Amino acid sequence: EGRSGRPPNQPGGEGGALHHSSSSRSGAVWAPESGQRHLAVPCPPTPGTCPLSIPRPRTLSPGAGTPSPSPGPGMDGASAQSLDDGVCVAGEGDEQDARLAALELRAQRQDDEIALLKAGLAGTLRRIEIYDQHFARLLPTLAGSPLLPDPLCPVDLLTGRGLQTLLPAEHTPVRTGHASACSCSRPPPGPGTPAPSPGPPALPGPPTPAPGPPAVPGPPTPAPGPPTLPGPPVLPPGPPELLPQPPVPQPDPSGQSGASNGGVEGGVPAQAGEGPELRVEGRDDGLEPEAKVLEAAAVGPERRALSGASLGPGSPLPGEAGTPPAPEPEPDLDPAPLAAGGRKKVLLRRCSTSDKLRGPKEQVADTQRPKLTKKSVSTQSLLSKGRGADSRNKELPQSPVGSTSRRGFYNQEGVSIKVFLRGRPITMYVPLNVHNYEELRTELPAERLKLDWVYGYRGKDSRGNLHLLPSGEVVYFIACVVVLHGIETQTQRHYVRHTDCVRCLAIHPDGVRIASGQAAGVDKDGKPLLPSVHVWDSGSLQTLQHIGSGSFERGVGCLAFSRADAGSFLCVIDDSNEHVMSVWDTTRGCRLAETKTTNEAVLEVGFHPADTGCIVSCGKSHVYFWSWNGGSLTKKQGIFGKYKKPRFIQCFVFLPSGEVLTGDSEGNILVWGKAAADTKTLGKGAKETYQIARQVKAHEGSIFTLCVRGDGALLSGGGKDRRVVLWGPDFTVQQETEISEKAGAVRTLVQGAGDELLIGTTRNSILRGSFSGACTPIVQGHTDELWGLTTHPCRDLFLTCAHDRRVCVWDLEHHTLEWSRTLEGTGLCADFHCSGTVVVVGLQTGRWVVLDCATQEDVCSTVDGNEQLSVVRFSPDGNFLAVGSHDNYIYLHTVSDSGRRYSRYGRCMGHSSFITHLDWSQDSCFIMSNSGDYEILYWDIVAGGKLIRNRYECKDLEWISYTCVLGFHVFGVWPDGSDGTDINALCRSHNERVVAVADDFCKVHLFQYPCSKPKAPSHMYGAHGSHVTNVRFTHNDSYLISTGGKDTTVMQWRVTSGRLGHSTSVSSASASSLDLLPGST
């Protein structure tokens, strides 16, 4: 529809204005008397179109050249094509001229229409702002006044009294499931009610060019100009938004009562002495009366007819004098015949710009006119710029389900909450059970977490990290935790005072004190976490000393206690470029000596067991013998002489005789001893040197560890051949054993009780065995980045999958690996079926695999898309499977036969980025999903995965789980200034009391649920050494499972009901160093 800038009643002579409609055609007409072709636009409009005043048809000479006009604003390819189809040219020569002229005319019309829309809407928005200001001034004075009625109670506009008891039964307010509209309504006519007046005859209009169906009886045509009412109703003070809004009655099939779609009521006159009766129904979409008016202005006449009652744009503000009238003050009044008593029924609503541009005849045919499909777009742009900075929060959400248009409305305070991530607004709607959002309080939850068990061992990239204490406990580290594992008692204790990953470990000669060094790091605010050495008591888990805080760079690479003087000194080498060596007094914590070692990697350091002044270090292509005297450290390099210098000296050990043995990357054991200096090579004055006395070929590949048993026998562990060899006094092989390939290469050897061996492997396992028996694992873990996690629906089991292509099912109670499988690809996500008999695992290739939990065999396998899968979730009833992919789709499958048969059901399309999380509703009918660009979308699964465009309708849905990181109930978990990637996973407990969060700063948080306030407090727990990738509660909420990324750790946390104060309250299964400090969390 187009409109010109000239008003419809502008004088122009007979035929001076031509009317254009969307169904009219323009063509070229041949004039025989002039010999010219004339381009004409036919004027008869079709019913339901808007008349438009345009200039007379232009005359084009066949020989005249017409410049090519550029398409005007809003002229796209589709518009030009439709115009070309409507231009008919009588000759071949001037066809192009006719089309160009028609394009120019269309562009001019659209420019005129846009200018009028902007001018009209600017005036409307100005009046809305005045009404808002007036509302703010009058609201304090109307508190408790009878003039301010209940919004859910019908009110008589003349008296201000409620009419709830006066309404018949069929007119009582009824709550509906969708947004309810408002209009005037009357009781049904009684026996004495006069017959409806037919009204004045319709004004003649232009003939209809094409026959159509008979016209539907509509309301009487209003007379031009505002009618005069003998008794105008007295409105209560305040803006019209405070008045109750009348609902629109359903159309009456008999045509005897009810308002038309255009909002003009006719057919039943008001009885004598009867005032207008208004009825308002509660809205379920959160839109206030002002929002209804703006919504109507944004979507065109078909929605404006359903808007709430309001004053016309030309009416002055109630109770405010001297208000200048708006341009074209034309009230929008009901033209129904006057009732007895001289009163007239009025439908009060705010006029739109299109109402001003239409004449009386066009207002009658409002419901028959084709709607202007592009008007809402331009109106949205004006609404977004028309309000000041002090206006209320608003958004432009999508329309309800079943509609494809978009509408703009204001979100009143308390209806929605808007947060920002990386500058992007995210709107979340407040559920109905939250009566006052401002009164919501978020507190620390009563529940606490206590580290119960740590699954895994860091053997892939560390050395010397396995030791046996006199108490029978095995000491090792992983992530930020030093684990004391009781082999016989199957218990664990944990030292968790480190702030970053533990890199090395040393046992004091007394077998009680332990020194552990950590790497440098940064906290969530970017502040550096300085590396240091913790000296602590293995019995009480209390920290005795912090050594070297601020003195080391990057981290502590290796350390060792002195042995000759009962461990009075500690030697430390850091990870700086120069690998600085320092010697510390363990009793006073002060540094005694310091020097730079080498720019190459240093792998191990140690004191000579008989001489504290002798220190040995080894690493890449070197072995150094250091002499420490007071504050100086001097080194002597080991000379390889005629032997090939290996690439790495991996390890060394001291024999009881004082000799030094080293194992290198070539598989050789080298025996080092002192010898007189070669004066020919080193020159005169050279002192004694350390040279190779003997070389023994021991293994294929590197030798990662050497160990001296209590009887003086030597043990060596190979990398490539996975052999453990017991050597005799003359380096003859006495016994050997080989570990399985599945366990990996030998990383560390420790002598156990008797002939027992403890073997740490490169695949993060600790084995227990002997030369005469098989080796069994006592600790197992993943070897690569860990992301997938799910818990069993009814048993104490959980499943993990990682980049090492392994799927592992763990037993919570016995802390053992139930079973594992190696997949064809990297597992990223998993979920158990509600029956617990099968589990689905999503892979990085886009394939998902269903495994039988009893036999560990494949049940089926399907590919959804060609990108990695980020989430797979079964519905609560087990009849559907939802698969979220990085191709922005959620794939739906029907499930039967207890999770053994699958069939493609549909695909949810609507996200603009990859899927990150999704949850099912309790009735298995809806899905809530998050994406990488912070979208929150809802899907109707019963309708085939259809997108629910009005997210407000889903605010009260109940979810069987809550793992989406964005939502009203959990947005308070996000830290201030977050970049949108700080939270990796989230999980609500099944009792809906707490929510656990995995963040990017190696922390696990425990919040109160719901967490709907910014900067909510939480209990924070540090044990992971990398970003925490996932968290899940077990089926009975007794444990929380967390997974680390690069640290490859799985941690099991016990959920307690209160604070643990002292060691007496600690469970016998495990204990933590934090349990023993009052006030720790």
Side-chain angles (χ1 to χ4, degrees), residues 25 75 136 201 207 469 508 524 721 1065:
R25 298 284 182 178
M75 293 289 292
L469 297 180
H508 195 273
K524 65 178 182 178
D721 57 9
S1065 62

Side-chain angles (χ1 to χ4, degrees), residues 135-203:
F135 169 80
R137 292 196 302 267
L138 291 182
L139 186 59
T141 63
L142 293 177
S145 173
L147 296 179
L148 188 63
D150 190 329
L152 296 179
C153 178
V155 176
D156 190 330
L157 287 180
L158 297 179
T159 64
R161 293 179 297 178
L163 300 178
Q164 181 71 28
T165 58
L166 301 179
L167 291 177
E170 60 269 25
H171 288 273
T172 56
V174 179
R175 299 281 298 184
T176 60
H178 300 282
S180 56
C182 302
S183 76
C184 296
S185 61
R186 294 188 179 91
T193 304
S197 172
L203 297 179

Side-chain angles (χ1 to χ4, degrees), residues 494-534:
H494 311 103
Y495 180 79
V496 291
R497 285 296 175 182
H498 286 283
T499 57
D500 210 279
C501 289
V502 181
R503 298 293 306 277
C504 53
L505 196 68
I507 306 298
H508 195 273
D510 61 10
V512 177
R513 282 178 285 179
I514 298 175
S516 52
Q518 72 171 54
V522 294
D523 61 7
K524 65 178 182 178
D525 298 324
K527 297 180 181 179
L529 300 175
L530 300 178
S532 63
V533 175
H534 291 212

Side-chain angles (χ1 to χ4, degrees), residues 965 970 973-974 982-987 995-999 1003-1007 1028 1030-1031 1033 1040:
V965 297
V970 297
V973 305
W974 286 88
D982 295 336
I983 293 179
N984 298 315
L986 174 150
C987 183
V995 57
V997 172
D999 70 9
K1003 299 296 187 292
V1004 175
H1005 299 259
L1006 198 65
F1007 290 87
V1028 187
N1030 217 332
V1031 286
F1033 284 97
L1040 175 74

Side-chain angles (χ1 to χ4, degrees), residues 878-1076:
N879 294 330
F880 292 98
L881 173 66
V883 180
S885 172
H886 268 229
D887 61 6
N888 306 354
Y889 297 138
I890 300 176
Y891 298 90
L892 301 175
H893 300 264
T894 58
V895 184
S896 58
D897 193 16
S898 298
R900 298 180 180 276
R901 297 178 62 89
Y902 297 83
S903 177
R904 175 71 70 86
Y905 174 71
R907 186 173 62 173
C908 300
M909 299 180 292
H911 274 294
S912 55
S913 184
F914 57 91
I915 313 300
T916 58
H917 307 84
L918 65 86
D919 290 292
W920 284 90
S921 62
Q922 291 186 357
D923 56 5
S924 302
C925 295
F926 301 94
I927 283 179
M928 171 176 58
S929 60
N930 293 166
S931 62
D933 57 351
Y934 325 124
E935 284 182 324
I936 308 174
L937 297 184
Y938 300 89
W939 313 88
D940 188 347
I941 305 306
V942 178
K946 185 177 182 180
L947 174 65
I948 301 177
R949 298 187 178 275
N950 189 357
R951 293 183 288 117
Y952 183 86
E953 297 176 352
C954 304
K955 60 182 173 50
D956 294 314
L957 289 177
E958 297 291 336
W959 306 101
I960 191 65
S961 63
Y962 213 119
T963 59
C964 289
V965 297
L966 294 174
F968 172 78
H969 296 85
V970 297
F971 78 87
V973 305
W974 286 88
D976 192 20
S978 174
D979 65 350
T981 62
D982 295 336
I983 293 179
N984 298 315
L986 174 150
C987 183
R988 182 195 67 190
S989 62
H990 296 87
N991 58 17
E992 301 186 11
R993 291 177 54 88
V994 293
V995 57
V997 172
D999 70 9
D1000 244 8
F1001 309 106
C1002 315
K1003 299 296 187 292
V1004 175
H1005 299 259
L1006 198 65
F1007 290 87
Q1008 175 188 350
Y1009 182 85
C1011 187
S1012 303
K1013 283 285 189 176
K1015 302 179 181 179
S1018 69
H1019 298 303
M1020 184 175 63
Y1021 303 90
H1024 285 281
S1026 177
H1027 53 288
V1028 187
T1029 57
N1030 217 332
V1031 286
R1032 285 291 185 276
F1033 284 97
T1034 57
H1035 66 98
N1036 55 4
D1037 292 333
S1038 59
Y1039 294 99
L1040 175 74
I1041 310 299
S1042 64
T1043 58
K1046 295 294 186 180
D1047 63 15
T1048 69
T1049 311
V1050 180
M1051 295 191 181
Q1052 177 178 320
W1053 307 80
R1054 183 184 298 273
V1055 181
T1056 62
S1057 57
R1059 181 190 302 268
L1060 292 175
H1062 302 284
S1063 58
T1064 56
S1065 62
V1066 175
S1067 169
S1068 60
S1070 65
S1072 169
S1073 59
L1074 295 181
D1075 300 333
L1076 309 177

